[in-house]
């Protein structure tokens, strides 16, 4: 950055993280004329989408699983020559172009990881990993929820090579090995498909069955098809029936491929978006097993009583939702829901100087939703500083009890951040319109 800013900035906002959420926050604050500084731990922007960064969580074959038009920022489109589902390299270039177009670089301080933050008179005192201490009037936490890998306790029992999906980068890591992938989220299924092409054998352990949607229907990205149905206000039961008919004709019956049938209704969990898993399972390239019950040396035991020997286990078991630099009590943490109790997953019910962006897992693209979150935060900050009536009304609303999700999801920590993108987007848009009436 061009110049080190003063240590005391109680008139300014600290944005933690320069990934997709942090960049959206910076642009929103800048749009409203609010002073800010972005603190990024790594040496470059992009967050989990930066393949070369230590904080990167993408692998060589990573592409978006939501189509570009339902993923991009509101006022900055992905290039026309980008495919429907851009690669991680194209995503990173898009973030760089966004930062350039919005003039964000002079406000981002790289190599400035936050070690600790605590309240002080008039705002927050942040201690950086360098030992430097800096004061801000408000903080926007935008460093994502894919930072701290979750390792199941049994992972320490395996005597071979154990990787978390965050450590997986390219298929050569699996070449010629007997591979077990534990976990059937989108990353786990992608890695199993990668492994099927290059490993000696590939086994995928699935704790439960999930609904699988192909990436395309009749040449159109599947999420765009879903968006059209939502705009037509088709009832949920009919949408479920349509989706099941489409997937049956495109993928066939899951059990015929050795995949377990889902134990829940479609849209009660994050669906798997994968056009290749069923293909490779039907070809015998991927052997599907139930949950792992334990390991003995390099041998895995499964819930159905079967066993298998493996050289490498990839634990695609997700991430823990943690904020290691902040006392959990500051975020109104709700143990029953495995997450902070924040209005719209963003706003603290009582405090107006702490916000979280990107703490959602939508069933479509995320950046446009986070862009709306960021604009809402910036509008609210500006409104409370100006004493706007609209900000006062919003303040009362976020303090009201009973702000809960209306969509039913599986009662697991993994699904605690799930949001149905269409209704959530409409809520954000309504709040934005109301806050814009200063």
């Amino acid at each position: 950055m061009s110049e080190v800013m003063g240590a005391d900035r109680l008139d300014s906002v600290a944005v933690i993280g320069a990934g997709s959420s942090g960049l959206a926050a910076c642009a929103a604050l800048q749009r409203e004329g609010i002073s800010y500084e972005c603190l990024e731990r790594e040496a470059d922007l992009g967050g989990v989408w930066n393949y070369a960064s230590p904080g990167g969580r993408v692998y060589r074959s990573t592409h978006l699983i939501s189509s570009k038009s339902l993923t991009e920022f509101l006022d900055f489109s992905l290039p026309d020559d980008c495919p429907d589902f851009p690669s991680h390299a194209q995503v990173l270039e898009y973030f760089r172009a966004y930062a350039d177009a919005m003039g964000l670089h002079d406000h981002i301080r790289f190599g400035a990881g936050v070690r600790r933050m605590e309240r002080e008179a008039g705002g927050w005192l942040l201690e950086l990993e360098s030992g430097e201490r800096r004061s801000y009037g408000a903080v926007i936490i935008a460093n994502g929820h894919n930072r701290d890998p979750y390792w199941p306790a049994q992972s320490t029992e395996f005597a071979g090579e154990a990787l978390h999906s965050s450590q997986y980068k390219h298929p050569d890591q699996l070449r010629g090995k007997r591979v077990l992938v534990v976990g059937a989220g989108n990353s786990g299924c992608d890695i199993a498909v990668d492994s099927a092409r290059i490993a000696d054998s590939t086994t995928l352990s699935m704790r439960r069955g999930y609904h699988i949607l192909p990436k395309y229907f009749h040449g159109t990205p599947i999420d765009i098809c879903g968006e059209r149905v939502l705009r037509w206000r088709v009832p949920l039961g009919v949408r479920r029936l349509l989706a099941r008919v489409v997937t049956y004709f495109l993928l066939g019956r899951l059990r015929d491929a050795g995949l377990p049938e889902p134990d829940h209704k479609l849209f009660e969990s994050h669906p798997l978006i994968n056009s290749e898993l069923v293909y490779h399972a039907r070809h015998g390239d991927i052997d599907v097993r139930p949950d792992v019950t334990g390991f003995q040396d390099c041998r895995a035991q499964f819930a159905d009583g079967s066993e298998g020997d493996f050289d490498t286990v990839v634990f695609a078991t997700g991430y823990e939702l943690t904020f290691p630099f902040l006392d959990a009590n500051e975020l109104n943490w709700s143990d029953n829901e495995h997450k902070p109790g924040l209005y719209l997953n963003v706003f603290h019910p009582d405090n107006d100087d702490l916000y979280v962006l990107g703490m959602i897992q939508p069933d479509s693209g995320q950046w446009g939703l986070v862009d709306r979150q960021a604009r809402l935060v910036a509008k609210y900050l500006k409104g409370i500083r100006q004493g706007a009536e609209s900000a006062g009304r919003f303040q009362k609303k976020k303090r009201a009890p009973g702000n809960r999700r209306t969509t039913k999801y599986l009662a697991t920590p993994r699904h605690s951040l799930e949001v149905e993108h269409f209704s959530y987007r409409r809520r954000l848009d309504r709040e934005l319109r109301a806050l814009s009436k200063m």
Side-chain angles (χ1 to χ4, degrees):
M1 61 187 285
S2 57
E3 181 181 354
V4 175
M5 300 179 184
D8 294 318
R9 300 178 49 80
L10 289 176
D11 63 332
S12 188
V13 178
V15 177
I16 300 178
S20 57
S21 298
L23 295 177
C26 293
L29 293 170
Q30 191 156 290
R31 198 177 287 113
E32 297 298 332
I34 298 174
S35 175
Y36 70 93
E37 183 176 36
C38 182
L39 304 172
E40 169 54 51
R41 179 175 62 179
E42 309 295 353
D44 195 6
L45 58 76
V48 296
W49 285 94
N50 192 323
Y51 181 84
S53 171
R57 295 292 182 260
V58 292
Y59 32 91
R60 185 184 294 170
S61 60
T62 301
H63 286 250
L64 287 178
I65 59 170
S66 54
S67 61
K68 64 180 183 180
S69 64
L70 292 179
T71 305
E72 60 200 11
F73 294 122
L74 299 184
D75 53 2
F76 195 78
S77 299
L78 278 152
D80 290 340
D81 59 356
C82 263
D84 295 328
F85 300 95
S87 70
H88 64 82
Q90 291 167 318
V91 166
L92 184 58
E93 285 305 308
Y94 171 70
F95 288 162
R96 295 192 198 285
Y98 182 76
D100 288 340
M102 301 298 168
L104 307 182
H105 285 288
D106 286 344
H107 299 269
I108 303 174
R109 186 175 180 187
F110 294 107
V114 176
R115 176 185 297 158
R116 180 73 182 164
M117 56 181 285
E118 58 187 33
R119 287 196 174 278
E120 63 174 0
W124 291 91
L125 178 65
L126 273 63
E127 180 183 343
L128 306 186
E129 292 174 353
S130 64
E132 182 183 356
R133 295 158 72 86
R134 302 168 72 82
S135 295
Y136 300 89
V139 176
I140 298 175
I141 299 174
N143 64 331
H145 51 86
N146 291 328
R147 283 288 182 177
D148 294 324
Y150 172 73
W151 291 86
Q154 62 196 14
S155 64
T156 60
E157 302 171 0
F158 183 63
E161 179 186 31
L163 298 172
H164 189 269
S165 56
S166 61
Q167 299 169 307
Y168 172 73
K169 287 297 183 181
H170 51 79
D172 288 343
Q173 293 172 265
L174 311 177
R175 185 184 296 275
K177 297 179 179 179
R178 298 168 298 175
V179 175
L180 169 63
V181 180
V182 178
N186 282 297
S187 293
C189 292
D190 280 350
I191 294 170
V193 169
D194 275 359
S195 177
R197 299 188 179 105
I198 202 165
D200 274 4
S201 67
T202 301
T203 300
L204 175 64
S205 168
M206 300 180 67
R207 176 178 294 180
R208 58 162 36 100
Y210 285 101
H211 294 276
I212 301 176
L213 301 178
K215 277 197 163 182
Y216 287 94
F217 173 64
H218 205 257
T220 300
I222 195 70
D223 58 349
I224 291 180
C225 297
E227 186 77 4
R228 291 171 180 168
V229 173
L230 285 165
R231 290 185 183 278
W232 295 336
R233 300 184 182 276
V234 175
L236 177 59
V238 178
R239 286 192 281 121
R240 284 175 170 154
L241 177 61
L242 289 173
R244 288 182 68 85
V245 169
V246 166
T247 54
Y248 174 78
F249 278 105
L250 292 179
L251 300 178
R253 293 183 300 185
L254 296 182
R255 64 175 177 267
D256 291 342
L259 294 162
E261 291 289 343
D263 59 357
H264 56 280
K265 295 179 181 179
L266 184 61
F267 307 129
E268 286 185 347
S269 74
H270 205 79
L272 301 179
I273 310 297
N274 196 300
S275 296
E276 299 181 88
L277 179 66
V278 173
Y279 172 89
H280 283 286
R282 281 182 173 274
H283 281 72
D285 302 329
I286 297 175
D287 178 28
V288 181
R289 302 281 185 97
D291 198 18
V292 174
T293 57
F295 293 97
Q296 185 173 7
D297 295 325
C298 290
R299 193 166 185 81
Q301 294 91 36
F302 299 95
D304 62 355
S306 64
E307 297 184 346
D309 294 312
F310 301 97
D311 304 305
T312 298
V313 177
V314 181
F315 291 94
T317 45
Y319 298 84
E320 298 188 65
L321 180 60
T322 61
F323 302 90
F325 46 78
L326 180 64
D327 189 317
N329 292 328
E330 294 285 3
L331 281 172
N332 193 37
W333 198 278
S334 173
D335 291 334
N336 292 334
E337 295 191 11
H338 311 286
K339 67 173 183 176
L342 306 180
Y343 181 54
L344 295 173
N345 283 25
V346 176
F347 295 86
H348 192 284
D350 301 314
N351 301 322
D352 294 326
D353 56 7
L354 182 62
Y355 308 88
V356 180
L357 295 188
M359 196 180 67
I360 55 174
Q361 185 166 308
D363 56 0
S364 186
Q366 176 151 324
W367 311 332
L369 295 177
V370 175
D371 195 344
R372 288 173 170 85
Q373 290 181 339
R375 291 170 190 242
L376 194 57
V377 169
K379 288 280 187 187
Y380 181 64
L381 278 169
K382 184 177 181 179
I384 58 176
R385 289 182 179 185
Q386 295 179 347
E389 291 184 9
S390 58
R393 289 191 295 269
F394 184 85
Q395 189 177 58
K396 292 179 181 179
K397 184 181 294 187
K398 75 184 181 72
R399 288 176 177 172
N403 292 310
R404 297 290 183 264
R405 298 179 297 177
T406 57
T407 304
K408 178 185 176 183
Y409 294 102
L410 293 177
T412 69
R414 174 188 172 190
H415 296 90
S416 63
L417 302 183
E418 291 281 336
V419 296
E420 192 277 305
H421 80 281
F422 192 79
S423 57
Y424 184 72
R425 185 177 67 204
R426 292 179 66 186
R427 289 184 68 189
L428 293 175
D429 285 340
R430 283 197 302 267
E431 300 290 8
L432 271 170
R433 287 193 297 269
L435 268 179
S436 296
K437 299 174 182 178
M438 293 294 183

